[in-house]
Amino acid sequence: MAINFNRKILLEDGQEYYGYGFGASGDKVLEIVFNTSMVGYQEILSDPSYTDQAVVMTYPLIGNYGMAEEDYESAHPSIGALIVREYNDEPSNFRSAATLGEVMKKYGIVGVCGVDTRKLNRSIRDFGSRRALVTDAATPREKGLQLLKESSLPTDAVSRVSRKTPEEFPAEQACFHVTAIDCGMKQNIVRSLNKRGCSVTVVPWDTTSETIRSLQPDGVFISNGPGDPTDVPQTIETIRQLLGTVPIFGICLGHQIISLAYGARTYKLKFGHRGGNHPVKNLDTGKIEITSQNHSYAVDTDSMRHTPLQVTHVNLLDQTIEGVKCEKDHVFSVQYHPESAPGPQDSAYLFDRFIHMMEEGGTHHA
C-alpha cells in the first residue's frame, strides 16, 4: 500500500483496493457493480436505479467534461459511490456548470480514484456482485470485515427514490395522457413521452389501481428503479389489477414487475448488465439492437411457460429475456433502456409502439 492512499474499498471476501478520495467522505456499505459505458457518467450518477450501489467505471477517465444542468436524470442523485481509475477535476466543456466531485460532495456521494479498476472489474465479473465497504485507508481489515458481516443492504430503495406526490408533465400538443408509475424513473423517459405528444402524470410507486383508473389514462407506464422487484409487492398488485384494462408499457424494473404480475419469476444475475453496448435480438424482426442496460435481476425463462406472455427480445450475450408482450391485454415491456441517456438509440421505436397501442385504444378508460 502506497503511503499516500487515503481511501480503500474492502470486499466481503477480504479483497482490498486502495485509492484517493474525491466527492463526499465517510464510510458506506454498498453493493459493488460495474458499468462499461464510455460516456454518460452524469446520467449514471443521477440514475435512481443505482441507489445503494458502488459503481466501478470500466472507462479509465471520468470527470473530463464536467456536469451540465440539462443532463441530470433525477433531481437528487442517490447512487452510493463512484469508483474510477483517473478522475479529472478540471473539466473542459462550455456546458459544464460544476465538477463531478463538487456534485458528489453536494449529494453525499463518496468517490475513490486511482483504483486498479481493471483488476476490480475482473473480480466482479469472475466472482459476482458483492457487498463492499468504502472506507478510510487506515481502517483495519478485520474491523471492516466485521462491519460488512453485520451489515445488510436495505430493501426500501424504491420507496426512497420515488416521488411522494403526483407531478404533471404536459406536452405542447398532447394527444394522449399517460400515467407513469415512478419506481425511480429517469427524466429522459418523460422527455421521450412528451416529445411524442403524451402528457404525463407521474405518480408514486405505491399508487393504487383505483387511483390510476380515476386519472383516466390512455396508457400506463412503469419505470425503471433500484433493487429486487419482489421488494415492491404493492406495485405488482397494482399492475395485476390493471392488466387488460389499459395499454401498459414497462422498462427495466417495470418489465420485471409486469412479468411478476403475470405469474413469472425473477432471479438475481451474477454481476448484472450495466453499459451501453449490450446486443439484443428482436425476435419479431430478427434485427439486433445495441442497447443501454442497468439491472441486477432477470425474468426466469422456465417460469414464462405458465403465463400468457410471449418473449419478444433476447440478450445475445447470455440469452436472458429482454422483452415480453401480451397482445390480448395490450401489454409489453423491455429489460433495457430505449430512452438511453446514456447509450445508443436503436430502441426508441418502442415508445412509438406504445403510442400505436394507445391509438388502437385497447380497452382503455375501463
Short mmCIF file of all heavy atoms in Angstrom, two decimals, residues 85-139:
data_model
loop_
_atom_site.label_atom_id
_atom_site.label_comp_id
_atom_site.label_asym_id
_atom_site.label_seq_id
_atom_site.Cartn_x
_atom_site.Cartn_y
_atom_site.Cartn_z
N ARG A 85 -10.71 4.96 -12.32
CA ARG A 85 -9.25 4.89 -12.44
C ARG A 85 -8.64 6.29 -12.32
O ARG A 85 -7.83 6.56 -11.45
CB ARG A 85 -8.87 4.24 -13.77
CG ARG A 85 -7.36 4.20 -14.04
CD ARG A 85 -6.64 3.41 -12.97
NE ARG A 85 -5.20 3.38 -13.18
CZ ARG A 85 -4.34 2.94 -12.28
NH1 ARG A 85 -4.77 2.50 -11.11
NH2 ARG A 85 -3.05 2.92 -12.53
N GLU A 86 -9.05 7.19 -13.22
CA GLU A 86 -8.49 8.54 -13.22
C GLU A 86 -9.63 9.54 -13.16
O GLU A 86 -10.52 9.54 -14.02
CB GLU A 86 -7.64 8.79 -14.47
CG GLU A 86 -7.01 10.17 -14.51
CD GLU A 86 -6.18 10.40 -15.76
OE1 GLU A 86 -5.90 9.42 -16.49
OE2 GLU A 86 -5.83 11.56 -16.03
N TYR A 87 -9.61 10.40 -12.16
CA TYR A 87 -10.63 11.45 -12.02
C TYR A 87 -10.05 12.79 -12.46
O TYR A 87 -8.98 13.19 -12.00
CB TYR A 87 -11.13 11.54 -10.57
CG TYR A 87 -11.94 12.79 -10.31
CD1 TYR A 87 -13.11 13.03 -11.02
CD2 TYR A 87 -11.51 13.75 -9.39
CE1 TYR A 87 -13.84 14.18 -10.81
CE2 TYR A 87 -12.25 14.89 -9.16
CZ TYR A 87 -13.41 15.12 -9.88
OH TYR A 87 -14.13 16.26 -9.68
N ASN A 88 -10.77 13.49 -13.34
CA ASN A 88 -10.35 14.80 -13.83
C ASN A 88 -11.18 15.88 -13.15
O ASN A 88 -12.40 15.93 -13.33
CB ASN A 88 -10.52 14.87 -15.36
CG ASN A 88 -9.97 16.16 -15.94
OD1 ASN A 88 -10.18 17.23 -15.38
ND2 ASN A 88 -9.29 16.05 -17.06
N ASP A 89 -10.53 16.73 -12.38
CA ASP A 89 -11.22 17.77 -11.62
C ASP A 89 -11.19 19.13 -12.32
O ASP A 89 -11.61 20.13 -11.75
CB ASP A 89 -10.61 17.89 -10.22
CG ASP A 89 -11.57 18.54 -9.23
OD1 ASP A 89 -12.76 18.19 -9.24
OD2 ASP A 89 -11.13 19.43 -8.45
N GLU A 90 -10.68 19.16 -13.55
CA GLU A 90 -10.62 20.41 -14.32
C GLU A 90 -11.28 20.19 -15.68
O GLU A 90 -10.61 20.05 -16.71
CB GLU A 90 -9.17 20.87 -14.47
CG GLU A 90 -8.50 21.20 -13.14
CD GLU A 90 -7.07 21.66 -13.32
OE1 GLU A 90 -6.54 21.56 -14.45
OE2 GLU A 90 -6.47 22.12 -12.33
N PRO A 91 -12.63 20.10 -15.71
CA PRO A 91 -13.33 19.76 -16.95
C PRO A 91 -13.17 20.82 -18.03
O PRO A 91 -13.04 22.02 -17.73
CB PRO A 91 -14.79 19.63 -16.51
CG PRO A 91 -14.89 20.44 -15.26
CD PRO A 91 -13.56 20.30 -14.59
N SER A 92 -13.20 20.37 -19.28
CA SER A 92 -13.15 21.26 -20.43
C SER A 92 -14.42 21.06 -21.25
O SER A 92 -14.51 20.12 -22.05
CB SER A 92 -11.90 20.96 -21.28
OG SER A 92 -11.88 21.76 -22.44
N ASN A 93 -15.40 21.92 -21.02
CA ASN A 93 -16.70 21.80 -21.71
C ASN A 93 -17.49 23.07 -21.45
O ASN A 93 -17.74 23.44 -20.30
CB ASN A 93 -17.46 20.58 -21.16
CG ASN A 93 -18.84 20.42 -21.76
OD1 ASN A 93 -19.21 21.13 -22.69
ND2 ASN A 93 -19.62 19.50 -21.20
N PHE A 94 -17.92 23.74 -22.51
CA PHE A 94 -18.63 25.01 -22.34
C PHE A 94 -19.96 24.84 -21.63
O PHE A 94 -20.49 25.79 -21.06
CB PHE A 94 -18.84 25.70 -23.69
CG PHE A 94 -19.89 25.06 -24.56
CD1 PHE A 94 -21.19 25.55 -24.58
CD2 PHE A 94 -19.59 23.96 -25.35
CE1 PHE A 94 -22.16 24.96 -25.36
CE2 PHE A 94 -20.56 23.37 -26.14
CZ PHE A 94 -21.86 23.87 -26.15
N ARG A 95 -20.52 23.63 -21.60
CA ARG A 95 -21.79 23.39 -20.92
C ARG A 95 -21.62 23.08 -19.44
O ARG A 95 -22.60 23.04 -18.68
CB ARG A 95 -22.53 22.22 -21.59
CG ARG A 95 -22.94 22.49 -23.01
CD ARG A 95 -23.60 21.27 -23.65
NE ARG A 95 -24.89 20.97 -23.03
CZ ARG A 95 -25.18 19.83 -22.41
NH1 ARG A 95 -24.26 18.87 -22.31
NH2 ARG A 95 -26.36 19.63 -21.91
N SER A 96 -20.40 22.83 -19.00
CA SER A 96 -20.17 22.40 -17.63
C SER A 96 -20.48 23.51 -16.64
O SER A 96 -19.99 24.64 -16.77
CB SER A 96 -18.72 21.94 -17.46
OG SER A 96 -18.48 21.59 -16.11
N ALA A 97 -21.31 23.17 -15.61
CA ALA A 97 -21.66 24.13 -14.57
C ALA A 97 -21.00 23.79 -13.23
O ALA A 97 -21.03 24.60 -12.31
CB ALA A 97 -23.17 24.18 -14.40
N ALA A 98 -20.43 22.59 -13.12
CA ALA A 98 -19.77 22.16 -11.89
C ALA A 98 -18.89 20.96 -12.20
O ALA A 98 -19.06 20.31 -13.24
CB ALA A 98 -20.81 21.79 -10.83
N THR A 99 -17.97 20.67 -11.30
CA THR A 99 -17.17 19.46 -11.48
C THR A 99 -17.95 18.26 -10.92
O THR A 99 -18.86 18.42 -10.09
CB THR A 99 -15.82 19.55 -10.75
OG1 THR A 99 -16.05 19.55 -9.33
CG2 THR A 99 -15.06 20.81 -11.14
N LEU A 100 -17.57 17.08 -11.36
CA LEU A 100 -18.19 15.86 -10.85
C LEU A 100 -18.01 15.76 -9.34
O LEU A 100 -18.95 15.42 -8.60
CB LEU A 100 -17.57 14.65 -11.56
CG LEU A 100 -17.96 13.26 -11.03
CD1 LEU A 100 -19.47 13.04 -11.13
CD2 LEU A 100 -17.20 12.17 -11.80
N GLY A 101 -16.81 16.06 -8.86
CA GLY A 101 -16.53 15.98 -7.43
C GLY A 101 -17.39 16.92 -6.60
O GLY A 101 -17.84 16.58 -5.51
N GLU A 102 -17.63 18.13 -7.12
CA GLU A 102 -18.47 19.10 -6.40
C GLU A 102 -19.89 18.58 -6.25
O GLU A 102 -20.51 18.70 -5.18
CB GLU A 102 -18.47 20.43 -7.16
CG GLU A 102 -17.17 21.21 -7.07
CD GLU A 102 -17.12 22.38 -8.02
OE1 GLU A 102 -17.94 22.44 -8.98
OE2 GLU A 102 -16.23 23.23 -7.84
N VAL A 103 -20.42 18.01 -7.33
CA VAL A 103 -21.79 17.49 -7.29
C VAL A 103 -21.88 16.30 -6.34
O VAL A 103 -22.84 16.17 -5.55
CB VAL A 103 -22.25 17.09 -8.71
CG1 VAL A 103 -23.58 16.35 -8.66
CG2 VAL A 103 -22.36 18.34 -9.58
N MET A 104 -20.88 15.42 -6.37
CA MET A 104 -20.89 14.26 -5.48
C MET A 104 -20.82 14.70 -4.02
O MET A 104 -21.50 14.13 -3.15
CB MET A 104 -19.72 13.34 -5.83
CG MET A 104 -19.91 12.62 -7.16
SD MET A 104 -18.45 11.71 -7.71
CE MET A 104 -18.28 10.48 -6.42
N LYS A 105 -20.04 15.71 -3.74
CA LYS A 105 -19.95 16.22 -2.37
C LYS A 105 -21.29 16.80 -1.93
O LYS A 105 -21.74 16.57 -0.80
CB LYS A 105 -18.85 17.28 -2.28
CG LYS A 105 -18.46 17.65 -0.86
CD LYS A 105 -17.19 18.49 -0.85
CE LYS A 105 -16.71 18.71 0.57
NZ LYS A 105 -15.43 19.48 0.60
N LYS A 106 -21.97 17.52 -2.83
CA LYS A 106 -23.26 18.13 -2.53
C LYS A 106 -24.31 17.09 -2.13
O LYS A 106 -25.10 17.31 -1.22
CB LYS A 106 -23.73 18.93 -3.74
CG LYS A 106 -25.11 19.55 -3.58
CD LYS A 106 -25.51 20.30 -4.84
CE LYS A 106 -26.93 20.87 -4.70
NZ LYS A 106 -27.33 21.59 -5.95
N TYR A 107 -24.28 15.94 -2.81
CA TYR A 107 -25.31 14.92 -2.58
C TYR A 107 -24.83 13.76 -1.71
O TYR A 107 -25.52 12.74 -1.61
CB TYR A 107 -25.83 14.39 -3.93
CG TYR A 107 -26.61 15.44 -4.69
CD1 TYR A 107 -26.07 16.07 -5.80
CD2 TYR A 107 -27.89 15.81 -4.27
CE1 TYR A 107 -26.78 17.04 -6.49
CE2 TYR A 107 -28.61 16.77 -4.97
CZ TYR A 107 -28.05 17.39 -6.07
OH TYR A 107 -28.77 18.35 -6.76
N GLY A 108 -23.67 13.89 -1.10
CA GLY A 108 -23.20 12.86 -0.17
C GLY A 108 -22.76 11.58 -0.84
O GLY A 108 -22.85 10.50 -0.25
N ILE A 109 -22.26 11.69 -2.08
CA ILE A 109 -21.81 10.51 -2.83
C ILE A 109 -20.30 10.39 -2.70
O ILE A 109 -19.56 11.32 -3.06
CB ILE A 109 -22.20 10.63 -4.32
CG1 ILE A 109 -23.73 10.82 -4.45
CG2 ILE A 109 -21.73 9.42 -5.11
CD1 ILE A 109 -24.15 11.33 -5.81
N VAL A 110 -19.83 9.27 -2.18
CA VAL A 110 -18.39 9.09 -1.98
C VAL A 110 -17.74 8.65 -3.29
O VAL A 110 -18.35 7.96 -4.11
CB VAL A 110 -18.08 8.08 -0.86
CG1 VAL A 110 -18.65 8.56 0.45
CG2 VAL A 110 -18.62 6.70 -1.20
N GLY A 111 -16.50 9.07 -3.48
CA GLY A 111 -15.76 8.69 -4.67
C GLY A 111 -14.37 8.20 -4.32
O GLY A 111 -13.77 8.66 -3.33
N VAL A 112 -13.86 7.25 -5.10
CA VAL A 112 -12.48 6.77 -4.94
C VAL A 112 -11.87 6.71 -6.33
O VAL A 112 -12.42 6.09 -7.24
CB VAL A 112 -12.42 5.38 -4.28
CG1 VAL A 112 -10.96 5.01 -4.00
CG2 VAL A 112 -13.24 5.33 -3.00
N CYS A 113 -10.72 7.36 -6.51
CA CYS A 113 -9.99 7.32 -7.78
C CYS A 113 -8.60 6.74 -7.55
O CYS A 113 -8.18 6.52 -6.42
CB CYS A 113 -9.91 8.70 -8.41
SG CYS A 113 -8.98 9.93 -7.44
N GLY A 114 -7.91 6.48 -8.65
CA GLY A 114 -6.59 5.87 -8.55
C GLY A 114 -6.64 4.38 -8.30
O GLY A 114 -5.61 3.73 -8.04
N VAL A 115 -7.83 3.80 -8.42
CA VAL A 115 -8.02 2.37 -8.16
C VAL A 115 -7.65 1.56 -9.40
O VAL A 115 -7.83 2.01 -10.54
CB VAL A 115 -9.49 2.10 -7.77
CG1 VAL A 115 -9.74 0.62 -7.57
CG2 VAL A 115 -9.85 2.88 -6.52
N ASP A 116 -7.13 0.37 -9.19
CA ASP A 116 -6.87 -0.55 -10.31
C ASP A 116 -8.23 -1.12 -10.75
O ASP A 116 -8.64 -2.21 -10.34
CB ASP A 116 -5.93 -1.68 -9.87
CG ASP A 116 -5.54 -2.60 -11.02
OD1 ASP A 116 -6.15 -2.50 -12.10
OD2 ASP A 116 -4.62 -3.42 -10.83
N THR A 117 -8.94 -0.35 -11.57
CA THR A 117 -10.31 -0.72 -11.93
C THR A 117 -10.35 -1.95 -12.83
O THR A 117 -11.35 -2.68 -12.84
CB THR A 117 -11.05 0.45 -12.60
OG1 THR A 117 -10.25 0.98 -13.67
CG2 THR A 117 -11.32 1.55 -11.59
N ARG A 118 -9.30 -2.21 -13.59
CA ARG A 118 -9.29 -3.43 -14.42
C ARG A 118 -9.32 -4.67 -13.54
O ARG A 118 -10.09 -5.61 -13.78
CB ARG A 118 -8.06 -3.45 -15.33
CG ARG A 118 -8.09 -2.43 -16.45
CD ARG A 118 -6.90 -2.56 -17.36
NE ARG A 118 -6.95 -3.80 -18.15
CZ ARG A 118 -5.98 -4.17 -18.98
NH1 ARG A 118 -4.89 -3.44 -19.11
NH2 ARG A 118 -6.11 -5.29 -19.67
N LYS A 119 -8.51 -4.67 -12.51
CA LYS A 119 -8.47 -5.81 -11.60
C LYS A 119 -9.78 -5.93 -10.83
O LYS A 119 -10.32 -7.04 -10.66
CB LYS A 119 -7.30 -5.66 -10.63
CG LYS A 119 -7.13 -6.84 -9.67
CD LYS A 119 -5.92 -6.64 -8.77
CE LYS A 119 -5.76 -7.82 -7.82
NZ LYS A 119 -4.62 -7.61 -6.88
N LEU A 120 -10.31 -4.80 -10.37
CA LEU A 120 -11.54 -4.81 -9.59
C LEU A 120 -12.72 -5.28 -10.45
O LEU A 120 -13.54 -6.10 -10.01
CB LEU A 120 -11.81 -3.40 -9.02
CG LEU A 120 -13.08 -3.21 -8.21
CD1 LEU A 120 -13.21 -4.23 -7.10
CD2 LEU A 120 -13.13 -1.79 -7.64
N ASN A 121 -12.81 -4.78 -11.67
CA ASN A 121 -13.91 -5.20 -12.54
C ASN A 121 -13.83 -6.68 -12.91
O ASN A 121 -14.85 -7.36 -13.00
CB ASN A 121 -13.91 -4.35 -13.82
CG ASN A 121 -14.48 -2.97 -13.59
OD1 ASN A 121 -15.53 -2.82 -12.98
ND2 ASN A 121 -13.79 -1.95 -14.07
N ARG A 122 -12.62 -7.15 -13.09
CA ARG A 122 -12.47 -8.58 -13.39
C ARG A 122 -12.92 -9.42 -12.20
O ARG A 122 -13.52 -10.49 -12.36
CB ARG A 122 -11.01 -8.89 -13.75
CG ARG A 122 -10.78 -10.35 -14.11
CD ARG A 122 -9.46 -10.56 -14.81
NE ARG A 122 -9.48 -9.99 -16.14
CZ ARG A 122 -8.50 -10.19 -17.04
NH1 ARG A 122 -7.45 -10.92 -16.72
NH2 ARG A 122 -8.58 -9.66 -18.23
N SER A 123 -12.64 -8.94 -11.00
CA SER A 123 -13.08 -9.65 -9.79
C SER A 123 -14.60 -9.71 -9.72
O SER A 123 -15.19 -10.75 -9.40
CB SER A 123 -12.52 -8.96 -8.54
OG SER A 123 -13.07 -9.51 -7.37
N ILE A 124 -15.27 -8.59 -10.05
CA ILE A 124 -16.73 -8.56 -10.03
C ILE A 124 -17.28 -9.51 -11.10
O ILE A 124 -18.22 -10.26 -10.87
CB ILE A 124 -17.25 -7.13 -10.25
CG1 ILE A 124 -16.78 -6.21 -9.12
CG2 ILE A 124 -18.78 -7.12 -10.34
CD1 ILE A 124 -17.01 -4.73 -9.40
N ARG A 125 -16.65 -9.50 -12.28
CA ARG A 125 -17.11 -10.38 -13.35
C ARG A 125 -16.93 -11.85 -13.00
O ARG A 125 -17.80 -12.68 -13.25
CB ARG A 125 -16.33 -10.06 -14.64
CG ARG A 125 -16.83 -10.81 -15.86
CD ARG A 125 -15.83 -10.72 -16.99
NE ARG A 125 -14.58 -11.41 -16.64
CZ ARG A 125 -13.48 -11.38 -17.37
NH1 ARG A 125 -13.43 -10.66 -18.47
NH2 ARG A 125 -12.41 -12.05 -17.00
N ASP A 126 -15.79 -12.17 -12.38
CA ASP A 126 -15.49 -13.58 -12.08
C ASP A 126 -16.23 -14.10 -10.86
O ASP A 126 -16.64 -15.27 -10.83
CB ASP A 126 -13.98 -13.75 -11.88
CG ASP A 126 -13.20 -13.55 -13.17
OD1 ASP A 126 -13.83 -13.54 -14.25
OD2 ASP A 126 -11.96 -13.41 -13.09
N PHE A 127 -16.37 -13.26 -9.83
CA PHE A 127 -16.94 -13.73 -8.56
C PHE A 127 -18.31 -13.13 -8.25
O PHE A 127 -18.93 -13.49 -7.26
CB PHE A 127 -15.97 -13.43 -7.42
CG PHE A 127 -14.62 -14.08 -7.60
CD1 PHE A 127 -13.52 -13.31 -7.93
CD2 PHE A 127 -14.46 -15.45 -7.47
CE1 PHE A 127 -12.27 -13.90 -8.11
CE2 PHE A 127 -13.23 -16.04 -7.65
CZ PHE A 127 -12.12 -15.27 -7.97
N GLY A 128 -18.78 -12.20 -9.09
CA GLY A 128 -20.11 -11.65 -8.92
C GLY A 128 -20.14 -10.37 -8.09
O GLY A 128 -19.15 -9.98 -7.45
N SER A 129 -21.30 -9.71 -8.12
CA SER A 129 -21.51 -8.52 -7.31
C SER A 129 -21.51 -8.93 -5.83
O SER A 129 -22.06 -9.98 -5.48
CB SER A 129 -22.85 -7.87 -7.65
OG SER A 129 -22.89 -7.50 -9.01
N ARG A 130 -20.90 -8.10 -5.02
CA ARG A 130 -20.82 -8.39 -3.59
C ARG A 130 -21.00 -7.11 -2.79
O ARG A 130 -20.98 -6.01 -3.34
CB ARG A 130 -19.44 -8.98 -3.26
CG ARG A 130 -19.26 -10.42 -3.67
CD ARG A 130 -17.79 -10.74 -3.90
NE ARG A 130 -17.33 -10.13 -5.14
CZ ARG A 130 -16.04 -10.05 -5.49
NH1 ARG A 130 -15.11 -10.51 -4.69
NH2 ARG A 130 -15.70 -9.50 -6.64
N ARG A 131 -21.13 -7.28 -1.50
CA ARG A 131 -21.14 -6.09 -0.64
C ARG A 131 -19.71 -5.59 -0.50
O ARG A 131 -18.75 -6.37 -0.48
CB ARG A 131 -21.72 -6.43 0.72
CG ARG A 131 -23.24 -6.58 0.71
CD ARG A 131 -23.76 -6.97 2.07
NE ARG A 131 -23.16 -8.22 2.52
CZ ARG A 131 -23.03 -8.58 3.78
NH1 ARG A 131 -23.42 -7.77 4.74
NH2 ARG A 131 -22.49 -9.73 4.10
N ALA A 132 -19.60 -4.28 -0.41
CA ALA A 132 -18.28 -3.65 -0.28
C ALA A 132 -18.36 -2.50 0.71
O ALA A 132 -19.40 -1.84 0.82
CB ALA A 132 -17.80 -3.15 -1.63
N LEU A 133 -17.27 -2.30 1.43
CA LEU A 133 -17.17 -1.17 2.34
C LEU A 133 -16.23 -0.14 1.73
O LEU A 133 -15.08 -0.46 1.42
CB LEU A 133 -16.63 -1.63 3.70
CG LEU A 133 -16.25 -0.52 4.70
CD1 LEU A 133 -17.48 0.26 5.14
CD2 LEU A 133 -15.51 -1.11 5.91
N VAL A 134 -16.73 1.06 1.52
CA VAL A 134 -15.88 2.18 1.10
C VAL A 134 -15.51 2.93 2.36
O VAL A 134 -16.38 3.44 3.08
CB VAL A 134 -16.60 3.11 0.10
CG1 VAL A 134 -15.66 4.21 -0.39
CG2 VAL A 134 -17.14 2.31 -1.09
N THR A 135 -14.21 3.00 2.65
CA THR A 135 -13.78 3.50 3.96
C THR A 135 -12.42 4.17 3.87
O THR A 135 -11.80 4.24 2.80
CB THR A 135 -13.77 2.34 4.97
OG1 THR A 135 -13.46 2.83 6.27
CG2 THR A 135 -12.74 1.27 4.59
N ASP A 136 -11.96 4.63 5.04
CA ASP A 136 -10.63 5.22 5.13
C ASP A 136 -9.56 4.14 4.94
O ASP A 136 -9.74 2.99 5.35
CB ASP A 136 -10.47 5.87 6.52
CG ASP A 136 -9.23 6.72 6.62
OD1 ASP A 136 -9.31 7.92 6.32
OD2 ASP A 136 -8.17 6.17 7.01
N ALA A 137 -8.45 4.52 4.30
CA ALA A 137 -7.38 3.55 4.03
C ALA A 137 -6.82 2.94 5.32
O ALA A 137 -6.32 1.81 5.30
CB ALA A 137 -6.26 4.22 3.24
N ALA A 138 -6.94 3.66 6.42
CA ALA A 138 -6.37 3.18 7.68
C ALA A 138 -7.32 2.25 8.44
O ALA A 138 -6.92 1.70 9.48
CB ALA A 138 -6.01 4.37 8.56
N THR A 139 -8.54 2.05 7.96
CA THR A 139 -9.47 1.16 8.65
C THR A 139 -8.91 -0.26 8.68
O THR A 139 -8.60 -0.83 7.63
CB THR A 139 -10.84 1.14 7.94
OG1 THR A 139 -11.37 2.48 7.94
CG2 THR A 139 -11.81 0.21 8.65
#
